[in-house]
Amino acid sequence: MHRKTNYIQKTGNILLLIMVFALAILFPFSWIGETIGLPFNNMLTGEGIRYFLSILPLSCSTHMMSLTISLIICISTWKESGFGKQILYNINHQTGVKPTFRQRQAFNIALTLLCIYFFTMVCMSIGNNAVLLNIKGELLPSEQMMGIILSTLITLTFVSLLYGIMSHQLRGWNNIISSLYTGFGTYGVWILVVMTATLLYDTILFALIP
């Protein structure tokens, strides 16, 4: 598990360094391209700098940023509550530690709630009156798809917390609240990766694509 975590961190660190470097050289590269007659927008002009400053706050409020933060919170509670280990144990009894009676009861309740959620989502995706389908009667693509993903992550987070509380894996408000954000220390680099990727993408569209 620690090897996987370190691999995820190192991958995020490498991607962040690559994108920061690409973003840094994009400014002089656009100036050089404009100078030699290429159809580039110079990022070192007043217009380029104003554009970059205008997209800077937007990079923190994208759908992908919301998804990344929600995913980190979900993974954090999943691990801290022990709910993930219980699922692995039920799949393969040789993985993890045998649960206590309280943990088994908590797991059954949490799993039931999770199944009810997925059953409800399936019911809202089929039939003539399916509310999750788009105007063409399809699930993908649709404007609400990101909302469906986020609601699923929120439900997984809630179920994990519920399991942790009922199984006494999480005791007291301090442990419950801290389980929501401990993952940011491990996976927080991916927030920077998403923010930098958004900045790089928008800057490339403005500077290099006429």
Side-chain angles (χ1 to χ4, degrees):
M1 183 63 70
H2 291 294
R3 289 183 178 180
K4 291 181 180 179
T5 301
N6 291 335
Y7 177 77
I8 293 173
Q9 281 183 313
K10 289 180 180 179
T11 303
N13 292 338
I14 293 172
L15 286 175
L16 181 62
L17 289 174
I18 292 174
M19 287 188 292
V20 167
F21 178 74
L23 189 62
I25 66 173
L26 188 58
F27 280 74
F29 183 74
S30 65
W31 171 70
I32 295 173
E34 185 187 50
T35 302
I36 63 177
L38 295 176
F40 290 172
N41 291 318
N42 187 356
M43 292 299 298
L44 295 177
T45 61
E47 182 185 3
I49 293 174
R50 285 193 299 271
Y51 175 79
F52 183 79
L53 292 177
S54 68
I55 65 173
L56 190 58
L58 297 178
S59 65
C60 301
S61 57
T62 61
H63 288 319
M64 188 57 65
M65 180 63 75
S66 301
L67 179 61
T68 303
I69 293 175
S70 300
L71 183 60
I72 292 175
I73 294 175
C74 181
I75 293 174
S76 179
T77 53
W78 179 278
K79 293 173 63 177
E80 293 297 317
S81 66
F83 186 58
K85 291 182 179 179
Q86 279 303 305
I87 291 180
L88 291 177
Y89 177 81
N90 282 271
I91 295 174
N92 181 8
H93 292 294
Q94 296 180 353
T95 304
V97 182
K98 185 177 180 179
T100 63
F101 175 78
R102 179 185 291 275
Q103 289 172 336
R104 288 197 302 270
Q105 293 297 102
F107 178 78
N108 290 335
I109 294 174
L111 189 62
T112 300
L113 293 176
L114 197 59
C115 290
I116 291 174
Y117 168 78
F118 283 116
F119 177 76
T120 303
M121 298 300 286
V122 170
C123 289
M124 290 192 295
S125 303
I126 59 177
N128 296 327
N129 297 319
V131 298
L132 297 182
L133 302 183
N134 58 22
I135 194 172
K136 296 181 180 180
E138 301 172 347
L139 184 62
L140 292 173
S142 62
E143 296 179 353
Q144 64 271 15
M145 194 61 215
M146 184 60 69
I148 295 173
I149 296 174
L150 289 175
S151 67
T152 301
L153 292 175
I154 292 172
T155 301
L156 285 170
T157 300
F158 171 77
V159 168
S160 297
L161 286 175
L162 186 63
Y163 168 81
I165 294 171
M166 291 189 300
S167 64
H168 286 185
Q169 294 287 101
L170 299 175
R171 301 189 180 187
W173 286 106
N174 185 54
N175 287 339
I176 295 172
I177 299 300
S178 63
S179 68
L180 293 169
Y181 59 79
T182 51
F184 285 98
T186 304
Y187 307 107
V189 65
W190 287 96
I191 296 177
L192 298 177
V193 168
V194 171
M195 184 180 73
T196 308
T198 304
L199 280 174
L200 182 60
Y201 175 77
D202 289 339
T203 305
I204 290 175
L205 289 181
F206 177 81
L208 307 184
I209 301 178

PDB file of all heavy atoms in Angstrom, residues 18-35:
ATOM      1  N   ILE A  18       6.835  18.855 -14.968  1.00  0.00           N
ATOM      2  CA  ILE A  18       6.822  18.940 -16.428  1.00  0.00           C
ATOM      3  C   ILE A  18       5.908  20.065 -16.899  1.00  0.00           C
ATOM      4  O   ILE A  18       6.266  20.866 -17.776  1.00  0.00           O
ATOM      5  CB  ILE A  18       6.372  17.599 -17.038  1.00  0.00           C
ATOM      6  CG1 ILE A  18       7.444  16.522 -16.793  1.00  0.00           C
ATOM      7  CG2 ILE A  18       6.108  17.744 -18.531  1.00  0.00           C
ATOM      8  CD1 ILE A  18       7.018  15.141 -17.228  1.00  0.00           C
ATOM      9  N   MET A  19       4.713  20.159 -16.305  1.00  0.00           N
ATOM     10  CA  MET A  19       3.759  21.171 -16.747  1.00  0.00           C
ATOM     11  C   MET A  19       4.169  22.576 -16.338  1.00  0.00           C
ATOM     12  O   MET A  19       3.935  23.537 -17.081  1.00  0.00           O
ATOM     13  CB  MET A  19       2.363  20.822 -16.220  1.00  0.00           C
ATOM     14  CG  MET A  19       1.740  19.635 -16.937  1.00  0.00           C
ATOM     15  SD  MET A  19       0.015  19.329 -16.495  1.00  0.00           S
ATOM     16  CE  MET A  19       0.208  18.804 -14.796  1.00  0.00           C
ATOM     17  N   VAL A  20       4.774  22.728 -15.157  1.00  0.00           N
ATOM     18  CA  VAL A  20       5.267  24.051 -14.747  1.00  0.00           C
ATOM     19  C   VAL A  20       6.377  24.504 -15.694  1.00  0.00           C
ATOM     20  O   VAL A  20       6.426  25.672 -16.111  1.00  0.00           O
ATOM     21  CB  VAL A  20       5.774  24.004 -13.292  1.00  0.00           C
ATOM     22  CG1 VAL A  20       6.562  25.262 -12.958  1.00  0.00           C
ATOM     23  CG2 VAL A  20       4.602  23.857 -12.327  1.00  0.00           C
ATOM     24  N   PHE A  21       7.264  23.570 -16.061  1.00  0.00           N
ATOM     25  CA  PHE A  21       8.344  23.888 -17.010  1.00  0.00           C
ATOM     26  C   PHE A  21       7.766  24.271 -18.370  1.00  0.00           C
ATOM     27  O   PHE A  21       8.194  25.255 -18.995  1.00  0.00           O
ATOM     28  CB  PHE A  21       9.281  22.692 -17.147  1.00  0.00           C
ATOM     29  CG  PHE A  21      10.397  22.904 -18.128  1.00  0.00           C
ATOM     30  CD1 PHE A  21      11.469  23.720 -17.808  1.00  0.00           C
ATOM     31  CD2 PHE A  21      10.357  22.296 -19.371  1.00  0.00           C
ATOM     32  CE1 PHE A  21      12.502  23.928 -18.724  1.00  0.00           C
ATOM     33  CE2 PHE A  21      11.376  22.500 -20.295  1.00  0.00           C
ATOM     34  CZ  PHE A  21      12.458  23.315 -19.963  1.00  0.00           C
ATOM     35  N   ALA A  22       6.768  23.506 -18.843  1.00  0.00           N
ATOM     36  CA  ALA A  22       6.137  23.805 -20.134  1.00  0.00           C
ATOM     37  C   ALA A  22       5.444  25.160 -20.106  1.00  0.00           C
ATOM     38  O   ALA A  22       5.508  25.930 -21.078  1.00  0.00           O
ATOM     39  CB  ALA A  22       5.143  22.701 -20.489  1.00  0.00           C
ATOM     40  N   LEU A  23       4.792  25.465 -18.992  1.00  0.00           N
ATOM     41  CA  LEU A  23       4.109  26.755 -18.866  1.00  0.00           C
ATOM     42  C   LEU A  23       5.108  27.893 -18.851  1.00  0.00           C
ATOM     43  O   LEU A  23       4.863  28.967 -19.431  1.00  0.00           O
ATOM     44  CB  LEU A  23       3.267  26.754 -17.583  1.00  0.00           C
ATOM     45  CG  LEU A  23       2.299  27.926 -17.373  1.00  0.00           C
ATOM     46  CD1 LEU A  23       1.254  27.964 -18.484  1.00  0.00           C
ATOM     47  CD2 LEU A  23       1.612  27.797 -16.017  1.00  0.00           C
ATOM     48  N   ALA A  24       6.263  27.676 -18.214  1.00  0.00           N
ATOM     49  CA  ALA A  24       7.283  28.726 -18.119  1.00  0.00           C
ATOM     50  C   ALA A  24       7.901  29.035 -19.480  1.00  0.00           C
ATOM     51  O   ALA A  24       8.129  30.203 -19.818  1.00  0.00           O
ATOM     52  CB  ALA A  24       8.360  28.315 -17.119  1.00  0.00           C
ATOM     53  N   ILE A  25       8.190  27.991 -20.275  1.00  0.00           N
ATOM     54  CA  ILE A  25       8.829  28.231 -21.576  1.00  0.00           C
ATOM     55  C   ILE A  25       7.827  28.670 -22.633  1.00  0.00           C
ATOM     56  O   ILE A  25       8.212  29.153 -23.697  1.00  0.00           O
ATOM     57  CB  ILE A  25       9.581  26.972 -22.077  1.00  0.00           C
ATOM     58  CG1 ILE A  25       8.598  25.841 -22.384  1.00  0.00           C
ATOM     59  CG2 ILE A  25      10.628  26.539 -21.069  1.00  0.00           C
ATOM     60  CD1 ILE A  25       9.254  24.644 -23.023  1.00  0.00           C
ATOM     61  N   LEU A  26       6.536  28.529 -22.348  1.00  0.00           N
ATOM     62  CA  LEU A  26       5.522  28.919 -23.319  1.00  0.00           C
ATOM     63  C   LEU A  26       5.513  30.429 -23.544  1.00  0.00           C
ATOM     64  O   LEU A  26       5.254  30.900 -24.660  1.00  0.00           O
ATOM     65  CB  LEU A  26       4.141  28.447 -22.846  1.00  0.00           C
ATOM     66  CG  LEU A  26       2.982  28.599 -23.827  1.00  0.00           C
ATOM     67  CD1 LEU A  26       3.272  27.837 -25.122  1.00  0.00           C
ATOM     68  CD2 LEU A  26       1.685  28.084 -23.202  1.00  0.00           C
ATOM     69  N   PHE A  27       5.845  31.191 -22.508  1.00  0.00           N
ATOM     70  CA  PHE A  27       5.837  32.657 -22.625  1.00  0.00           C
ATOM     71  C   PHE A  27       6.913  33.133 -23.596  1.00  0.00           C
ATOM     72  O   PHE A  27       6.592  33.834 -24.572  1.00  0.00           O
ATOM     73  CB  PHE A  27       6.001  33.282 -21.240  1.00  0.00           C
ATOM     74  CG  PHE A  27       4.733  33.310 -20.433  1.00  0.00           C
ATOM     75  CD1 PHE A  27       4.238  32.152 -19.863  1.00  0.00           C
ATOM     76  CD2 PHE A  27       4.026  34.492 -20.264  1.00  0.00           C
ATOM     77  CE1 PHE A  27       3.067  32.170 -19.122  1.00  0.00           C
ATOM     78  CE2 PHE A  27       2.853  34.528 -19.522  1.00  0.00           C
ATOM     79  CZ  PHE A  27       2.368  33.354 -18.959  1.00  0.00           C
ATOM     80  N   PRO A  28       8.191  32.791 -23.373  1.00  0.00           N
ATOM     81  CA  PRO A  28       9.197  33.232 -24.359  1.00  0.00           C
ATOM     82  C   PRO A  28       9.031  32.563 -25.720  1.00  0.00           C
ATOM     83  O   PRO A  28       9.361  33.163 -26.759  1.00  0.00           O
ATOM     84  CB  PRO A  28      10.527  32.832 -23.702  1.00  0.00           C
ATOM     85  CG  PRO A  28      10.189  31.775 -22.733  1.00  0.00           C
ATOM     86  CD  PRO A  28       8.812  32.099 -22.245  1.00  0.00           C
ATOM     87  N   PHE A  29       8.500  31.334 -25.753  1.00  0.00           N
ATOM     88  CA  PHE A  29       8.306  30.636 -27.014  1.00  0.00           C
ATOM     89  C   PHE A  29       7.280  31.363 -27.879  1.00  0.00           C
ATOM     90  O   PHE A  29       7.455  31.472 -29.110  1.00  0.00           O
ATOM     91  CB  PHE A  29       7.849  29.201 -26.754  1.00  0.00           C
ATOM     92  CG  PHE A  29       7.681  28.381 -27.991  1.00  0.00           C
ATOM     93  CD1 PHE A  29       8.779  27.903 -28.688  1.00  0.00           C
ATOM     94  CD2 PHE A  29       6.415  28.082 -28.472  1.00  0.00           C
ATOM     95  CE1 PHE A  29       8.624  27.149 -29.845  1.00  0.00           C
ATOM     96  CE2 PHE A  29       6.242  27.330 -29.624  1.00  0.00           C
ATOM     97  CZ  PHE A  29       7.355  26.864 -30.315  1.00  0.00           C
ATOM     98  N   SER A  30       6.211  31.855 -27.246  1.00  0.00           N
ATOM     99  CA  SER A  30       5.202  32.600 -28.011  1.00  0.00           C
ATOM    100  C   SER A  30       5.777  33.906 -28.541  1.00  0.00           C
ATOM    101  O   SER A  30       5.428  34.350 -29.645  1.00  0.00           O
ATOM    102  CB  SER A  30       3.980  32.869 -27.130  1.00  0.00           C
ATOM    103  OG  SER A  30       4.313  33.722 -26.036  1.00  0.00           O
ATOM    104  N   TRP A  31       6.673  34.527 -27.766  1.00  0.00           N
ATOM    105  CA  TRP A  31       7.322  35.773 -28.220  1.00  0.00           C
ATOM    106  C   TRP A  31       8.234  35.509 -29.404  1.00  0.00           C
ATOM    107  O   TRP A  31       8.227  36.245 -30.400  1.00  0.00           O
ATOM    108  CB  TRP A  31       8.110  36.379 -27.061  1.00  0.00           C
ATOM    109  CG  TRP A  31       8.985  37.535 -27.482  1.00  0.00           C
ATOM    110  CD1 TRP A  31       8.587  38.779 -27.874  1.00  0.00           C
ATOM    111  CD2 TRP A  31      10.409  37.505 -27.574  1.00  0.00           C
ATOM    112  NE1 TRP A  31       9.668  39.549 -28.193  1.00  0.00           N
ATOM    113  CE2 TRP A  31      10.810  38.793 -28.014  1.00  0.00           C
ATOM    114  CE3 TRP A  31      11.379  36.549 -27.313  1.00  0.00           C
ATOM    115  CZ2 TRP A  31      12.141  39.121 -28.230  1.00  0.00           C
ATOM    116  CZ3 TRP A  31      12.714  36.878 -27.514  1.00  0.00           C
ATOM    117  CH2 TRP A  31      13.084  38.146 -27.964  1.00  0.00           C
ATOM    118  N   ILE A  32       9.017  34.420 -29.329  1.00  0.00           N
ATOM    119  CA  ILE A  32       9.913  34.062 -30.429  1.00  0.00           C
ATOM    120  C   ILE A  32       9.110  33.730 -31.682  1.00  0.00           C
ATOM    121  O   ILE A  32       9.451  34.138 -32.802  1.00  0.00           O
ATOM    122  CB  ILE A  32      10.815  32.872 -30.026  1.00  0.00           C
ATOM    123  CG1 ILE A  32      11.755  33.276 -28.890  1.00  0.00           C
ATOM    124  CG2 ILE A  32      11.616  32.361 -31.218  1.00  0.00           C
ATOM    125  CD1 ILE A  32      12.549  32.123 -28.318  1.00  0.00           C
ATOM    126  N   GLY A  33       8.022  32.963 -31.498  1.00  0.00           N
ATOM    127  CA  GLY A  33       7.202  32.599 -32.640  1.00  0.00           C
ATOM    128  C   GLY A  33       6.598  33.794 -33.335  1.00  0.00           C
ATOM    129  O   GLY A  33       6.570  33.870 -34.572  1.00  0.00           O
ATOM    130  N   GLU A  34       6.104  34.750 -32.555  1.00  0.00           N
ATOM    131  CA  GLU A  34       5.535  35.961 -33.152  1.00  0.00           C
ATOM    132  C   GLU A  34       6.611  36.772 -33.862  1.00  0.00           C
ATOM    133  O   GLU A  34       6.366  37.348 -34.926  1.00  0.00           O
ATOM    134  CB  GLU A  34       4.869  36.805 -32.070  1.00  0.00           C
ATOM    135  CG  GLU A  34       4.132  38.024 -32.619  1.00  0.00           C
ATOM    136  CD  GLU A  34       3.625  38.928 -31.519  1.00  0.00           C
ATOM    137  OE1 GLU A  34       4.428  39.272 -30.623  1.00  0.00           O
ATOM    138  OE2 GLU A  34       2.445  39.302 -31.552  1.00  0.00           O
ATOM    139  N   THR A  35       7.822  36.793 -33.301  1.00  0.00           N
ATOM    140  CA  THR A  35       8.921  37.569 -33.877  1.00  0.00           C
ATOM    141  C   THR A  35       9.328  37.041 -35.245  1.00  0.00           C
ATOM    142  O   THR A  35       9.629  37.819 -36.163  1.00  0.00           O
ATOM    143  CB  THR A  35      10.135  37.546 -32.934  1.00  0.00           C
ATOM    144  OG1 THR A  35       9.766  38.075 -31.657  1.00  0.00           O
ATOM    145  CG2 THR A  35      11.284  38.385 -33.504  1.00  0.00           C
TER     146      THR A  35
END
